[in-house]
Amino acid sequence: MTAIATKAQDRGATMQPVWGRTVLRNSPTFILMAVLGVMVIVPFLMLVFTSLVDVLPFSGEAEFNFTLSNYVALWAPALGHAIANTLVVSIGGTAIAMTIGCVLAWLAARTDIPFKPLVHLCGLMPLFISLVVASITWSLLAAGRTGYLNIIFDSMGLPFHINVQSLFGITFVHGLYYVPYPYIFVYSALTLVHPDLEEAAAVHGGSLSQSLRRVTFPLVKPAIVGAMLLVLVSTAEEFPVPSILGGPVGIETLSIRIYELATRVPGDPNQASAVSILLTAIVCMLVYTQRKILRGRDYRTLTGKGIQVRPIRLRWLKWIAVAFVGLYGFVALGLPILALIQGSIRGSLYIPNVAAFFDPKQLSLEHLIEAINSEEVHTGLINSFSAGILTAIFGGTLYFALAYVVNRTELKGRQILEYMSMVPLALPALVMGLGILWTWVSVPLPIYGTLAILVIAFATRFMPQGYRAVSSSISQIHDDLEEAAMIAGASRVQAVRRITLPLLRGAIVSTMFLMVVLSMRELTASLFLYTSNTRVLSIVIFEAYENGFWTSVASISLIYTTILVILTLVGRRWMRADL
Amino acid sequence: MSIEVRNLRKSFGNSAAVAGIDLDVPEGEMLVLLGPSGCGKTTTMRCIAGLETPDRGKISIDGRTVFDNQERINIPVNRRHVGMVFQSYAIWPHMTVFENVAFSLEMEGLGRSAIRTRVDKILELVGLEGFEERGASYLSGGQMQRVALARSLVMRPSVLLFDEPLSNLDARLRDHLRVQLREIQTQLKITSIYVTHDQREALALADQIMMMQEGEVLQMGDPVSLYNGPKTSEIAEFLGYSNIFEVNVVGERDGLCQLAFCEHARNLDAAFINRNGDRDLTACVRPDDVSIKPLPVTAGGDESSGVNAIAGEVILASFMGSHMQYRVRAGEHEIWEILCPEVNTEIRLGSNVLLEIDPAKIHVLPKQ
């Protein structure tokens, strides 16, 4: 035993004073706060500042006056319309998405519907379709008389047309492509409700409908409310859909107004900032409501394991269910892809009748080949991939550091870090882009004009999702595992490297993969931030659309969508279905 | 002195988890910290390990000060060279048994062959030879427990800490491992601290037991003297004195003092009394100190014949294998718990029985 005792004394020869460590110990919090401050808080303050002065922050004018005139100027009927339109398309879109998403989730999680993997695919896939592309394809399909669907209706002698260049169209496209959020939330909530809970209800005399109503629904209600508010917020700040479908016919939403004010010549960026603050206020209110409703009602981890549930038998209803899923899959995925193919292999845009769809003389691969060989597309693709991968690396590291400090240390200020990382939830992407622009444009660092600013924007935009994914995985790893390593003589860094990181590898890889896909899909956050050298693919498409190059729009969109679909299918293995 | 703790304090928020504790563990002995959950026993241990930073106090291990708030010494956990077995075992699921056990030796920077030799030896000691390459997540609870123990032993720690290591195991395995643990600990003479809320485990394992509540030490002593001489009824209850009644001392007779129950019409004689001032007193009797026999049918009302004889009706009779457990109602709300080593087939549910208690077995203790 004496041998052991001397051994111990050797090892502990260095003694550190307590006070020396406290400064050192708190440094991670300081560093992270500084990083988040620059990423999240400064851009927002720049925006507030710009909305309150009469000159631009980067215009080089030293003189500025504080004024409320930017806000006073908001007080116009146009803004009232914009607010009303924003509410209509977001509330309507949310209603559609929630209905479809909840039904799909219930079918996939709890019933014996055939072709279950396809139901799952239908529920998740739209998440990886770019909304720019979706809006563009729906323009091809149903904008005015020349929309493909309307040509078909005409030829069938049907007396009606669909016009997606309308409030209804925007609402419809929102509803169609925001289905994955309620699907993911409700599906995972349903799979986590232990069947014992429902069986207990049955044992105590509840019928199926009673146990659904009294047990299942209350248990998944937080997930439903959570998804609903997320969709509401996202559709309220959505830019490409209303811009592409509403822009040509003069329908304005708040996000379009911000974009117009900021980019029009002569523009009024100060007023754009004021509108941004207004939009942010609306979004904040929604997020606050969500927090309030969900407070203390997070039932997601009812049990640790996925449970094999005895499915509810649909009997004859199952074919109706299959038809419902099939119809949704066809409308949300099938039709747009057909339209994209059709659009990209046409020689000319003009289609007189249905026969022309199949007339070989009118078909040509010219535009598609041109797009594939185009320098612009290559650069855009490389930029998209680079930005995506860099975002994944930068974001992955940052989210891990944040999640680690918040969950695993007792450093002061870690709660503040958590709140800061959630702020981007309440910042519309367009608004965030504007704020980031004004932050970096005035900084003499090679950030603006490079991919770095896009990476910063993407990492900020996806921070709430990424942080939460890593954080929930860390919190599932018992503290004891790391403490045991330190007891065994490992330093904190060694313990993290040898124990925590290997255990988190799956979660971090899946989060990073998601970051790549979401970054590649993102348009709105990059709208104010790209320069001629840093066009990403979504920007290339949006520019081509704005300039009216319809055939190349379809071709590039087809390439873009193919890449996203392949990425998603390849990455399915690593991606978990929780955001 | 192998572990020495002086005036240890640790608060979480406003509540003091440990409120100024002193403790000493002589070399090679095992100290058990016993108390209900939230009494500060685990916090005390985690402070010694270095997983919590105390607010104040001094901790020395093997004469080396590892924490002293006045001298501003706080040696980080990985340099304290203590071993610890966690309640959750904390076996790293992504490593094999060998890798788990070898970890601390790797951290020490030992060579491969030295690691191999020491790990093999320890695995043999805990009975896990042949399991080296098994993935840690494929082990049963008992095996994980052994890996955790091996992992702590292999580093030849100055001190071994146990945080309720047996509480997640089923009863049979728990008994088995408890014996094995005591064997290994006494064989290797490792200075240990063991935290538990199970008084049987504490009595079986300890050289010394420290009973804690609300961050303070209630009583300290070796298992036998603690079990036979609890200071208060609170401690007695925790140690398994299941018959506790509030009493008044009403007189003395033949060297015995007479007790009157406060809430029941019952008088008993007790041999000794440990009266401290005017505090509320209780009579505490262990269930195995009450003898039980069938009430003679003929002798109606002959209750006064023996000292401390109580007539009652059996309301629960439960066969426990080595003994019988009875619950007897002697008055409307006066219930007695009895453990009887013999199985008497005449005593069943509803039987009328006579309980007898040796006056020397009645402990008259203050409540707190």
Side-chain angles (χ1 to χ4, degrees):
Chain A
M1 208 57 221
T2 46
I4 292 168
T6 48
K7 179 80 200 157
Q9 270 150 5
D10 291 343
R11 300 196 81 205
T14 42
M15 298 186 182
Q16 282 174 284
V18 178
W19 58 268
R21 285 178 64 216
T22 41
V23 177
L24 197 70
R25 265 181 49 180
N26 283 311
S27 60
T29 339
F30 295 144
I31 294 169
L32 286 172
M33 271 190 191
V35 172
L36 290 200
V38 170
M39 286 174 77
V40 181
I41 308 298
V42 174
F44 184 68
L45 292 180
M46 287 300 272
L47 211 61
V48 174
F49 173 72
T50 317
S51 75
L52 288 171
V53 295
D54 54 359
V55 294
L56 283 186
F58 57 87
S59 58
E61 291 177 47
E63 291 278 315
F64 61 82
N65 300 302
F66 281 107
T67 170
L68 283 176
S69 64
N70 298 314
Y71 287 95
V72 176
L74 291 183
W75 206 253
L79 189 84
H81 287 143
I83 293 178
N85 288 342
T86 305
L87 291 178
V88 168
V89 298
S90 63
I91 293 172
T94 305
I96 297 173
M98 288 308 295
T99 312
I100 301 175
C102 289
V103 171
L104 285 181
W106 184 73
L107 287 173
R110 278 299 155 92
T111 69
D112 64 343
I113 186 170
F115 318 118
K116 224 173 232 183
L118 280 180
V119 182
H120 212 53
L121 198 70
C122 281
L124 288 177
M125 204 62 202
L127 188 64
F128 301 103
I129 301 279
S130 156
L131 284 173
V132 184
V133 173
S135 316
I136 286 169
T137 52
W138 275 97
S139 299
L140 283 174
L141 279 165
R145 304 192 69 88
T146 55
Y148 299 164
L149 287 177
N150 291 334
I151 293 170
I152 294 172
F153 288 158
D154 273 342
S155 72
M156 289 164 76
L158 294 173
F160 59 85
H161 287 160
I162 303 173
N163 187 10
V164 289
Q165 289 184 327
S166 61
L167 274 184
F168 161 77
I170 300 170
T171 309
F172 172 73
V173 171
H174 277 164
L176 220 46
Y177 293 95
Y178 275 96
V179 163
Y181 293 98
Y183 179 80
I184 290 166
F185 276 56
V186 177
Y187 179 85
S188 49
L190 278 174
T191 52
L192 284 178
V193 175
H194 201 288
D196 283 359
L197 297 175
E198 286 173 341
E199 282 172 6
V203 167
H204 292 289
S207 70
L208 174 66
S209 76
Q210 278 172 322
S211 78
L212 273 178
R213 205 155 31 85
R214 300 275 298 274
V215 177
T216 317
F217 179 71
L219 285 172
V220 298
K221 201 166 69 178
I224 294 177
V225 173
M228 191 167 79
L229 282 150
L230 182 64
V231 176
L232 212 50
V233 168
S234 312
T235 48
E237 57 157 283
E238 179 62 50
F239 173 74
V241 180
S243 161
I244 291 170
L245 296 178
V249 289
I251 297 172
E252 268 202 335
T253 62
L254 283 176
S255 53
I256 296 178
R257 201 156 168 79
I258 295 171
Y259 182 69
E260 292 286 323
L261 283 170
T263 57
R264 194 175 58 194
V265 186
D268 192 343
N270 298 95
Q271 209 189 325
S273 309
V275 183
S276 299
I277 302 294
L278 180 69
L279 179 54
T280 309
I282 292 177
V283 168
C284 278
M285 248 157 53
L286 291 174
V287 172
Y288 175 74
T289 318
Q290 175 189 20
R291 290 282 127 137
K292 216 173 156 183
I293 294 175
L294 289 185
R295 196 174 36 175
R297 308 190 114 244
D298 189 357
Y299 300 11
R300 268 178 304 176
T301 46
L302 283 174
T303 68
K305 323 170 175 142
I307 306 138
Q308 204 56 50
V309 187
R310 215 175 22 262
I312 293 162
R313 297 187 53 188
L314 289 175
R315 286 186 277 270
W316 58 272
L317 270 171
K318 83 170 137 195
W319 300 112
I320 295 176
V322 168
F324 172 79
V325 175
L327 184 68
Y328 170 70
F330 180 67
V331 172
L333 302 168
L335 271 182
I337 287 172
L338 287 177
L340 270 188
I341 293 172
Q342 177 66 222
S344 53
I345 60 170
R346 294 202 68 77
S348 80
L349 264 184
Y350 178 66
I351 304 172
N353 51 40
V354 173
F357 285 131
F358 307 102
D359 181 358
K361 267 180 279 176
Q362 293 195 28
L363 300 183
S364 115
L365 289 176
E366 183 197 341
H367 293 291
L368 191 57
I369 291 166
E370 193 183 299
I372 289 173
N373 290 326
S374 131
E375 186 76 25
E376 212 179 11
V377 172
H378 292 173
T379 322
L381 190 58
I382 291 169
N383 282 339
S384 277
F385 263 115
S386 313
I389 289 167
L390 289 173
T391 304
I393 293 168
F394 173 59
T397 317
L398 178 65
Y399 309 150
F400 173 76
L402 277 173
Y404 187 86
V405 168
V406 172
N407 287 290
R408 276 299 147 83
T409 68
E410 301 195 338
L411 300 180
K412 288 196 186 77
R414 64 203 156 94
Q415 283 303 322
I416 300 174
L417 280 179
E418 185 162 33
Y419 292 135
M420 282 170 90
S421 69
M422 288 296 151
V423 168
L425 267 187
L427 282 184
L430 205 62
V431 174
M432 187 190 295
L434 209 54
I436 289 175
L437 172 73
W438 288 338
T439 306
W440 292 102
V441 104
S442 45
V443 175
L445 285 174
I447 302 283
Y448 180 71
T450 65
L451 279 180
I453 199 167
L454 292 182
V455 171
I456 291 172
F458 294 159
T460 312
R461 173 130 166 85
F462 305 131
M463 191 183 293
Q465 293 168 12
Y467 164 75
R468 241 186 291 176
V470 179
S471 179
S472 72
S473 308
I474 282 195
S475 62
Q476 277 164 20
I477 297 176
H478 209 296
D479 291 13
D480 287 356
L481 292 175
E482 210 174 285
E483 287 180 351
M486 300 212 289
I487 290 265
S491 67
R492 179 77 89 145
V493 176
Q494 280 173 315
V496 170
R497 201 167 49 78
R498 292 285 304 272
I499 309 297
T500 315
L501 271 179
L503 288 171
L504 273 180
R505 198 169 51 202
I508 290 178
V509 167
S510 90
T511 307
M512 287 173 74
F513 195 84
L514 194 68
M515 293 300 122
V516 174
V517 178
L518 290 179
S519 307
M520 288 196 63
R521 200 187 77 133
E522 181 67 23
L523 169 81
T524 321
S526 39
L527 265 179
F528 293 124
L529 301 176
Y530 75 93
T531 48
S532 54
N533 294 327
T534 58
R535 283 199 196 95
V536 288
L537 212 47
S538 55
I539 291 289
V540 173
I541 295 171
F542 190 69
E543 277 196 336
Y545 158 79
E546 291 238 289
N547 295 329
F549 302 144
W550 270 101
T551 42
S552 57
V553 167
S555 300
I556 308 172
S557 296
L558 185 64
I559 298 169
Y560 182 46
T561 306
T562 313
I563 290 169
L564 280 177
V565 168
I566 290 172
L567 259 183
T568 313
L569 292 179
V570 168
R572 215 169 32 159
R573 212 151 60 83
W574 298 300
M575 269 189 291
R576 296 168 314 158
D578 58 314
L579 284 174
Chain B
M1 224 40 105
S2 230
I3 304 177
E4 193 182 310
V5 173
R6 290 289 170 270
N7 193 26
L8 183 75
R9 277 170 193 279
K10 171 75 183 171
S11 313
F12 295 108
N14 289 327
S15 63
V18 181
I21 273 185
D22 296 334
L23 66 83
D24 296 291
V25 191
E27 184 164 324
E29 287 202 355
M30 182 182 268
L31 171 74
V32 173
L33 305 185
L34 176 65
S37 60
C39 71
K41 56 191 193 303
T42 299
T43 307
T44 304
M45 195 179 66
R46 288 171 60 87
C47 285
I48 295 170
L51 293 170
E52 303 283 355
T53 307
D55 301 335
R56 65 167 67 151
K58 184 179 171 193
I59 302 170
S60 321
I61 297 174
D62 279 335
R64 175 175 67 131
T65 306
V66 294
F67 180 85
D68 188 336
N69 71 305
Q70 281 172 346
E71 309 226 350
R72 291 187 161 156
I73 294 170
N74 185 10
I75 294 187
V77 46
N78 52 323
R79 300 237 196 83
R80 290 196 185 182
H81 203 67
V82 295
M84 180 160 167
V85 179
F86 290 80
Q87 184 172 16
S88 65
Y89 318 136
I91 300 300
W92 302 305
H94 59 303
M95 298 184 182
T96 63
V97 169
F98 183 87
E99 287 167 337
N100 263 282
V101 178
F103 186 87
S104 64
L105 302 181
E106 262 181 69
M107 290 296 126
E108 255 178 72
L110 257 62
R112 285 172 64 99
S113 60
I115 292 180
R116 169 64 66 181
T117 324
R118 267 170 72 174
V119 172
D120 284 350
K121 218 167 112 189
I122 287 292
L123 286 179
E124 196 189 320
L125 180 74
V126 300
L128 276 178
E129 60 269 64
F131 281 86
E132 290 85 350
E133 297 314 314
R134 186 79 69 93
S137 38
Y138 297 98
L139 299 173
S140 69
Q143 288 165 339
M144 283 203 203
Q145 231 297 315
R146 285 160 206 261
V147 175
L149 182 62
R151 194 171 66 182
S152 299
L153 288 172
V154 80
M155 63 196 283
R156 297 182 185 155
S158 353
V159 169
L160 194 46
L161 305 174
F162 297 92
D163 184 9
E164 310 214 12
L166 304 179
S167 60
N168 286 337
L169 301 172
D170 64 65
R172 268 172 56 122
L173 201 55
R174 194 157 58 218
D175 291 346
H176 179 67
L177 278 172
R178 192 179 56 214
V179 172
Q180 201 187 12
L181 225 143
R182 182 63 173 158
E183 262 175 10
I184 290 176
Q185 192 266 332
T186 46
Q187 186 188 335
L188 300 178
K189 291 200 182 357
I190 301 178
T191 315
S192 310
I193 293 183
Y194 189 106
V195 161
T196 183
H197 64 265
D198 180 337
Q199 96 278 2
R200 290 190 334 127
E201 219 167 278
L203 295 171
L205 285 168
D207 293 304
Q208 291 282 315
I209 294 176
M210 190 166 106
M211 281 213 55
M212 290 182 67
Q213 192 168 45
E214 288 168 5
E216 293 182 43
V217 181
L218 290 182
Q219 190 173 356
M220 178 134 179
D222 65 275
V224 177
S225 64
L226 186 71
Y227 190 61
N228 289 328
K231 273 193 202 156
T232 67
S233 68
E234 205 176 6
I235 299 171
E237 186 175 9
F238 202 80
L239 290 171
Y241 286 65
S242 41
N243 300 301
I244 297 179
F245 300 96
E246 289 175 27
V247 293
N248 290 317
V249 179
V250 290
E252 276 186 48
R253 187 181 65 189
D254 308 335
L256 298 174
C257 70
Q258 295 172 292
L259 307 173
F261 282 30
C262 295
E263 290 170 10
H264 313 289
R266 175 75 56 204
N267 288 293
L268 293 177
D269 293 341
F272 54 87
I273 161 165
N274 174 14
R275 178 153 51 160
N276 290 343
D278 290 326
R279 283 189 289 178
D280 296 338
L281 292 177
T282 53
C284 306
V285 184
R286 292 202 306 245
D288 50 322
D289 283 339
V290 183
S291 73
I292 184 169
K293 63 184 183 192
L295 191 66
V297 190
T298 48
D302 196 18
E303 205 185 303
S304 56
S305 61
V307 180
N308 291 344
I310 302 166
E313 183 196 350
V314 175
I315 55 171
L316 176 122
S318 177
F319 180 53
M320 312 285 284
S322 61
H323 55 269
M324 285 293 291
Q325 181 187 2
Y326 298 107
R327 188 169 288 170
V328 172
R329 181 188 290 140
E332 182 156 15
H333 297 293
E334 186 190 345
I335 311 287
W336 288 82
E337 300 281 350
I338 301 107
L339 282 181
C340 177
E342 297 124 44
V343 179
N344 187 336
T345 48
E346 280 177 60
I347 305 176
R348 317 196 177 91
L349 195 61
S351 303
N352 287 315
V353 291
L354 194 65
L355 308 179
E356 283 177 335
I357 305 161
D358 178 351
K361 301 288 188 187
I362 299 182
H363 299 251
V364 181
L365 304 171
K367 266 184 165 173
Q368 282 183 333

